[in-house]
Amino acid sequence: MSAASISIQETIDLLEGQFAKFAEGFTSGMYALWLGSAISRERVVGLDGVLAKLLEGLRQRVENTATCPHFKALSRILDLAELSQEQRTQIDFSTPLEKDLQKIIIDRLWTKYSKVLGTEVEGKPQLDYLLWDVLDFKNTFASQHADAEHLAIGMLVLEGVVSDIATANWDALLEAAMDELGHTSAPYTVAVTGDDLKGPKGEAVLYKFHGCARRAIEDEPKYRPLLVAREAAINQWMANPAFEKIRVQLGALLQRTRTIMIGMSAQDSNIQLLFGNKGWKWDDEPSPIIFSAQELSEGQKSILEGAYPADYEANRNSICDNAKFPAYAKAILLALLLYVLGQKLELLTLKVSSEGLDTAAKEALAQGIRAIRNKAAEGGDSDRYEMARTIARVIGRHAEQFFAGRSESGARPYVAIHSKAPHLMSADKQIEYSGQIEAAVALGAIGLEVQEKKWSLSIDDPSANTSGTLKVSGPGASARVFFASTDDRINGLIKSGAFSPDDADVVVLCSGSVTQGKQRSPRAPMRDGRPEPRYLGMEDILKDSVSLGDFRHRFTGEVGL
């Protein structure tokens, strides 16, 4: 098992085992996300793609191999790659680089990207000429299609466990993810300069301390000069007056909040300097600094040495081991998302008030929640982007049906289980009146049947208005399972076309009581002999149950699979 190959379920196992303290801290909102380019590599041009495009862009501009400024600049960049004489002679400036040679060059320039982008071209007054013109910045960084990482982060923000994000990335993929989740009204406070923090507050602050592509494109005079890529700009960042307020804010963030760094090698000197001693102890629990990494980079080790200057030398092996979480971006973020969602649903099951369900029964229902969570994890590794989209769409579909009694076609906006972290959610009295407790108990009951392999789960297309929250199959039948907070919401679902009173494959789990007209035995046939939808009133089932076994018998009997 490695950080590159680890499954989502294996990552959850780490969160519940070796990294349980970290998971508890993260779920309580104790960590800020620090994000690097690796989380965006499959959606925008990554560093390797930037270097490849830059080399080809310069080559295409070469007019001669003697006096041409573009040739001279390209030659200086190739010098940084330290090619052998034989390799240099293989380069024909009239044709694109041969692929194997291009890979060698890019690999050698990887840790020197800021020197590469800082290469000046004679006759071009702009110091960012390579970045803005040769790389065709406006088109190269205009992609806005979020990936699994960005969607997972968006949901974690909406669930209230992430409130601060710092990133060296220019792209707008985090913002695009919020758009896809149905939250377009500025859920992020995007801050490139300190003045950006003076406006309305979003769900989270997104510190783009190396600049923002979207803003540079939309407001070039103000934000293009704030794109940090060249070595000189990185080295001067700590003293650049334009970033003074952001430096202060990030310094305060590092003092008050722990760090989980994902997709960031931390090779830039300004990032390493930011993390200088902020008062944390390396053996504090949960760990003050965690890296999503198999092995730590030299930049990440420099961060740890700066963070714990008095203790690093004598304890560096333990410090480095404690700071490594061996899972890369998609696995750790999706695992954290499932873990947080599971924690909230478990909390709801533990709040159920029923004389027949003691503490052990409630813990068993919480285990049912974990069984469903783990099924979701097992099914997500083949296409993690699709998994993130499905989680968002299923929860959005469920929320619209449960709270509003509507079921419109298309992807529905994501609605958090609760907008606050679990420890704050637990104190919210409105939960007791929302119907969510009874819905979570029903979900836990389904999970227990799945855990014992009596039922199985699948998902319909969550963009279809006829899709329920889940599809449950038993030995004799399968059913679309809908959740409704009240009896009136059932009527709304019928009116909106989610299902028909004649549909035989429908189970509706109502948190309250169901009116007499909808109550029936699942085994009682209609006059034509066909079964009809089953409407279950969870309030009544819980009130009548005298034990967990009795509750499960009543529940499964009325579901009728």
Side-chain angles (χ1 to χ4, degrees), residues 260-522:
I260 169 69
M261 187 173 286
I262 301 174
M264 179 183 282
S265 65
Q267 62 176 292
D268 295 337
S269 60
N270 64 328
I271 297 174
Q272 296 170 23
L273 289 169
L274 271 174
F275 278 82
N277 191 357
K278 292 296 187 292
W280 296 99
K281 297 180 180 179
W282 72 271
D283 54 356
D284 284 344
E285 289 190 344
S287 296
I289 301 174
I290 296 284
F291 299 103
S292 166
Q294 182 68 41
E295 299 295 339
L296 298 186
S297 69
E298 292 305 311
Q300 291 167 340
K301 291 178 183 178
S302 293
I303 282 179
L304 294 174
E305 183 175 357
Y308 316 122
D311 299 321
Y312 184 78
E313 184 173 10
N315 303 283
R316 61 179 177 271
N317 290 335
S318 296
I319 289 173
C320 290
D321 288 342
N322 287 349
K324 288 186 297 189
F325 192 110
Y328 291 142
K330 281 185 172 64
I332 190 171
L333 286 167
L334 287 170
L336 283 168
L337 175 61
L338 288 174
Y339 182 84
V340 168
L341 295 175
Q343 287 286 300
K344 289 190 171 187
L345 291 171
E346 288 179 42
L347 186 154
L348 290 170
T349 64
L350 298 176
K351 283 183 168 290
V352 65
S353 178
S354 172
E355 292 184 3
L357 299 181
D358 58 14
T359 300
K362 295 174 185 179
E363 291 288 353
L365 290 167
Q367 182 60 44
I369 295 293
R370 290 192 286 276
I372 292 178
R373 179 203 68 187
N374 294 346
K375 284 293 181 183
E378 291 171 10
D381 284 314
S382 60
D383 189 336
R384 291 175 175 178
Y385 169 62
E386 189 58 35
M387 177 190 183
R389 291 177 73 239
T390 299
I391 291 172
R393 293 185 176 192
V394 167
I395 291 177
R397 172 69 53 195
H398 167 84
E400 182 180 67
Q401 293 173 346
F402 181 77
F403 289 113
R406 296 197 309 267
S407 192
E408 299 179 11
S409 296
R412 313 317 303 147
Y414 184 88
V415 177
I417 295 173
H418 197 280
S419 61
K420 294 182 179 179
H423 69 293
L424 297 173
M425 165 187 164
S426 180
D428 185 355
K429 297 300 181 183
Q430 291 187 12
I431 289 175
E432 298 175 14
Y433 319 126
S434 68
Q436 289 176 285
I437 292 173
E438 294 79 8
V441 168
L443 200 58
I446 293 172
L448 288 176
E449 301 305 311
V450 171
Q451 182 176 258
E452 296 177 6
K453 302 186 184 305
K454 296 176 180 178
W455 291 352
S456 62
L457 298 179
S458 59
I459 300 290
D460 283 332
D461 178 3
S463 64
N465 76 315
T466 55
S467 172
T469 300
L470 297 168
K471 191 168 186 178
V472 181
S473 298
S478 62
R480 291 174 288 150
V481 178
F482 295 82
F483 288 77
S485 56
T486 65
D487 184 72
D488 287 343
R489 297 297 183 255
I490 300 176
N491 295 331
L493 291 174
I494 294 172
K495 289 178 181 178
S496 65
F499 57 85
S500 165
D502 295 329
D503 288 345
D505 67 334
V506 169
V507 169
V508 183
L509 303 175
C510 178
S511 295
S513 297
V514 177
T515 58
Q516 188 65 34
K518 298 191 185 72
Q519 288 177 335
R520 60 180 303 282
S521 165

Side-chain angles (χ1 to χ4, degrees), residues 7 17 93 122 146 162 192 224 282 299 330 419 485 491 499 548:
S7 70
F93 291 97
E122 295 174 11
V162 173
V192 179
R224 175 179 171 182
W282 72 271
K330 281 185 172 64
S419 61
S485 56
N491 295 331
F499 57 85
L548 176 62

Side-chain angles (χ1 to χ4, degrees), residues 203-220:
E203 298 287 345
V205 179
L206 175 55
Y207 298 97
K208 290 193 166 185
F209 56 87
H210 278 184
C212 175
R214 177 181 286 182
R215 291 192 176 177
I217 293 168
E218 294 174 351
D219 189 352
E220 183 177 335

Side-chain angles (χ1 to χ4, degrees), residues 139-155:
N139 290 317
T140 300
F141 295 97
S143 175
Q144 302 295 304
H145 302 292
D147 205 346
E149 298 93 329
H150 312 96
L151 290 169
I153 291 168
M155 287 182 271

